[in-house]
Amino acid sequence: MLQLLLNAHRLKCTPRTGWVTRGVADAESVADHCFGVAFISLTLAEMVDRPIDKAKLLTIALLHDLPESVISDLPTPAAVHFPPGAKRKAEAEALNELLNGLPCAEYWHSWWQEFEDGTSIEGQLVRDADRLDMLIQAHVYEQTTGNRWLEEFWPPSEDLSFEFSAAQALYDELRVLRQRPT
Amino acid sequence: MLQLLLNAHRLKCTPRTGWVTRGVADAESVADHCFGVAFISLTLAEMVDRPIDKAKLLTIALLHDLPESVISDLPTPAAVHFPPGAKRKAEAEALNELLNGLPCAEYWHSWWQEFEDGTSIEGQLVRDADRLDMLIQAHVYEQTTGNRWLEEFWPPSEDLSFEFSAAQALYDELRVLRQRPT
Amino acid sequence: MLQLLLNAHRLKCTPRTGWVTRGVADAESVADHCFGVAFISLTLAEMVDRPIDKAKLLTIALLHDLPESVISDLPTPAAVHFPPGAKRKAEAEALNELLNGLPCAEYWHSWWQEFEDGTSIEGQLVRDADRLDMLIQAHVYEQTTGNRWLEEFWPPSEDLSFEFSAAQALYDELRVLRQRPT
Amino acid sequence: MLQLLLNAHRLKCTPRTGWVTRGVADAESVADHCFGVAFISLTLAEMVDRPIDKAKLLTIALLHDLPESVISDLPTPAAVHFPPGAKRKAEAEALNELLNGLPCAEYWHSWWQEFEDGTSIEGQLVRDADRLDMLIQAHVYEQTTGNRWLEEFWPPSEDLSFEFSAAQALYDELRVLRQRPT
Amino acid sequence: MLQLLLNAHRLKCTPRTGWVTRGVADAESVADHCFGVAFISLTLAEMVDRPIDKAKLLTIALLHDLPESVISDLPTPAAVHFPPGAKRKAEAEALNELLNGLPCAEYWHSWWQEFEDGTSIEGQLVRDADRLDMLIQAHVYEQTTGNRWLEEFWPPSEDLSFEFSAAQALYDELRVLRQRPT
Amino acid sequence: MLQLLLNAHRLKCTPRTGWVTRGVADAESVADHCFGVAFISLTLAEMVDRPIDKAKLLTIALLHDLPESVISDLPTPAAVHFPPGAKRKAEAEALNELLNGLPCAEYWHSWWQEFEDGTSIEGQLVRDADRLDMLIQAHVYEQTTGNRWLEEFWPPSEDLSFEFSAAQALYDELRVLRQRPT
């Protein structure tokens, strides 16, 4: 189990590839991002009127990028050069290895799968939180570093659709904030 | 609510003071630490045989350092120069302000208080996770930077006592790993 | 005395909180700032026609943030959550501790107090230099990082009033430089 | 062609994964490494008594990690979780895309393949230089950061075998330097 | 020879002065730049219809800043304060020292001289690549950091003249890219 | 005068070459060092029983590396490759240019000269402070980064002689601290 914790710790010094390849100096770590996703999930869960298993929700948020401690944060343009499904399969295998021997391994793994496939309400909510955290971070970097290469994270029109209206509302508010002249 | 998320985001670029004052270059952020604490809490909960409210546990872990987004991570030697209880009162006030208007504000605040006072099983478990994350990180920095000023984090004998035996067992394992000649 | 020097050295790796919380990567250290304040004080003293004790002036400039080696650079929004005067009292206590046993402790401490209270011409001049150094640095960060969150350092109109006309003149010149289209 | 240069430039801000995952702060970029490999190749070529096409040699050295500008520097433990040959195929595809339309695309690609497969004298020499640059860098990090996790880069006995005796001699010299007490 | 490699390695942690003095945080290393120049030289050589000795070309590109491992990257405004020719003479001497004893010392040195004086086609091509790499990097920093102090790298009109039309064409393309509104 | 302040500000982002070339990541700035020297000078002055002009002393400490804002911090091994006295003459010229037009230019310049030549008690005291700051910093880096290349800063025997016995006493204390087993 200590080994698992040491592996998870590695996310603290794994920079998020999406920022690094766009020239953000001193980019956030994957652990920073995971904290953001978990915190946003926690907050969104308060606004959603469907029943949510919060323990499951937060577990998914904390696990969702754990395979990156082995596989690394593969850049999006890299994926097309691997066989279809190869990235996901590699991550699933790595997760298995990481959780190997833990009593909870099986259900944690199936919950992670629900995130990947968006097949449970908790998995879907973490997906929304995942995108929101990325967009909030993009906004912060645009404001604090003047980086112009983050434009492409923002969809051209307003119709980036989130699963949950609470997430959509936050996104709309963020978009307004972003377009406000300074 | 967006304002709360932007405040929480600030933890991503708030370095942990304990490392900075001991000369660790590029120290982890408070958000990195919060991810570590939440992840360790999640794992410890699987080893504990007392009933645990996991949603509450993880909420506490994610909230426990949120006031630092306003108050900052005050160094330990600073505290003695403030009136008794002033730091805790400042953090409680800042948390109130941050959660102001949220439906969950009241119970989140009382849960955070349980962490501060160690008055619930979930609060106690996060306290153990908080110390474990700090010690694992100290070990990682000792291994990867050769920093000799982190010695003082380690208690002289074996008797750093954790509340939960699962936490104690992990600490004992870590101590063995640390003393192994390289 | 070596202990005092080691404490002062800690300012070299203490980042200035005002920049860190506004997302400046690789922000200047408190020691960088203290050098800036001392250098500006030195230069301003040449332009002022009132008699100035330059040894006292530069001593104040070098000491003015020394308590931050113990207390840290508390962010401005944190202060309101502490009892009135608590921050200043903490800093005064920390300074006492740092200078403990030095022959010059008493008068250095009273000079530092004159800076805090603006009750001597030298204390007032360092206060002007303190603000000028912050504004020059804000300008440099705006020019070199495109950070838009530093706007709030600049007062809306021209009437940021300095004690000394030489400081005011430098500020006016800086404001012109800042508004020049690039 | 400008697009190719902008892609190659990305290697300047792509940190080498092997160092990052072992906690080296501020690790060298892939471009730093490529410079090292090219420079070592250049120097080794002077010591080798077999005929070498130096233009080809240096071209291979400069190209050998170019696919990482798209695929990233996949960590070694990640590779086992992908189908056999998937990583190499992804890199070959990415290189094709990068060189697309250049008159030299075909022979540059086949030279890169010779490096991957070690099927030409030039490809073999760059392979030796690739390992030497990694070991020299490991030594420098061990000396300058006290990192103890780089131990695993060094083979237990002396028999890390290089293709060229000039490379082997440099490695032997490096090993002696490394074991010298400071 | 190992000593030469260790010296060349130092370029990996020597930041380029031109960026540092203009406030670029985390500026590229001299080794990053040398990789860029060598890669651009390699590419330009494919577009030039005059006969080029590519081995010589790439050797010059890899060597051209090697003296900076001893002399450092002296800022441009510093040069006027040294006697005429002093900088070049210092670099030539340092290169001699670095290559001392190598069989290739003499012709490497004379090739480096051809770069300095622009007296061979290969030396001229590396000079063009040197400027192109600087301008591409300036563009990347402008895009990713919002730095406004890099303006001065760009000549007022279009007539920054390169020796080779292929270099000029790349520059023209870059200028168009730079002026495109985002 | 604003121009002089902007130039002095540049010392905040000029890293000290001696650390950079020895692989210290995130090395202190020249401004950090100047603060250290001024602070040590201030403290030493209290222990010295000869009459000292403290205003002059601190002015010298703040000015002593100002020419590096133009000339940069030339590495020690570089100096031998320039004509004798060329470095000092370049620095003197740069200082002239920086102070050009200031009423105090003349006597500041002659004070700086006294530091360079060690021809006044104040200049001598700053020289001692300059070496002490370097050695304290070397000690801190050795403790916090495990860097083994800083050994060469320490003289083999105890006889590194300082001009003032107060400085010598501090150095002896530091040497004891350094040799204490951790």
Side-chain angles (χ1 to χ4, degrees), chain A residues 19-173:
Chain A
W19 311 126
V20 172
T21 60
R22 281 169 190 85
V24 174
D26 218 0
E28 65 164 343
S29 68
V30 176
D32 278 325
H33 165 67
C34 289
F35 167 74
V37 173
F39 193 85
I40 294 173
S41 299
L42 179 65
T43 317
L44 281 178
E46 297 295 319
M47 325 311 263
V48 168
D49 47 9
R50 287 196 268 163
I52 288 192
D53 178 341
K54 289 186 192 170
K56 180 176 169 181
L57 175 78
L58 297 178
T59 303
I60 291 175
L62 293 168
L63 287 177
H64 87 286
D65 274 344
L66 190 60
E68 296 189 1
S69 68
V70 177
I71 302 297
S72 83
D73 181 12
L74 214 62
T76 313
V80 303
H81 297 297
F82 286 93
K87 186 191 164 189
R88 181 166 310 186
K89 197 169 147 294
E91 293 187 340
E93 246 187 69
L95 188 62
N96 260 346
E97 207 177 79
L98 286 164
L99 303 180
N100 184 27
L102 287 189
C104 53
E106 205 171 335
Y107 71 97
W108 282 11
H109 200 287
S110 70
W111 287 357
W112 178 80
Q113 204 61 54
E114 290 172 21
F115 162 76
E116 284 290 310
D117 302 333
T119 50
S120 69
I121 185 170
E122 289 82 9
Q124 288 164 353
L125 195 51
V126 175
R127 287 171 78 94
D128 274 8
D130 194 22
R131 286 160 82 199
L132 267 179
D133 183 71
M134 186 192 73
L135 289 162
I136 291 173
Q137 190 61 58
H139 172 68
V140 169
Y141 284 141
E142 286 182 328
Q143 291 288 311
T144 60
T145 73
N147 192 308
R148 293 175 211 167
W149 288 1
L150 308 181
E151 189 75 32
E152 58 187 294
F153 283 101
W154 302 90
S157 82
E158 315 185 1
D159 51 40
L160 176 70
S161 59
F162 286 88
E163 196 69 37
F164 292 85
S165 58
Q168 183 73 42
L170 275 169
Y171 170 63
D172 291 342
E173 210 181 324

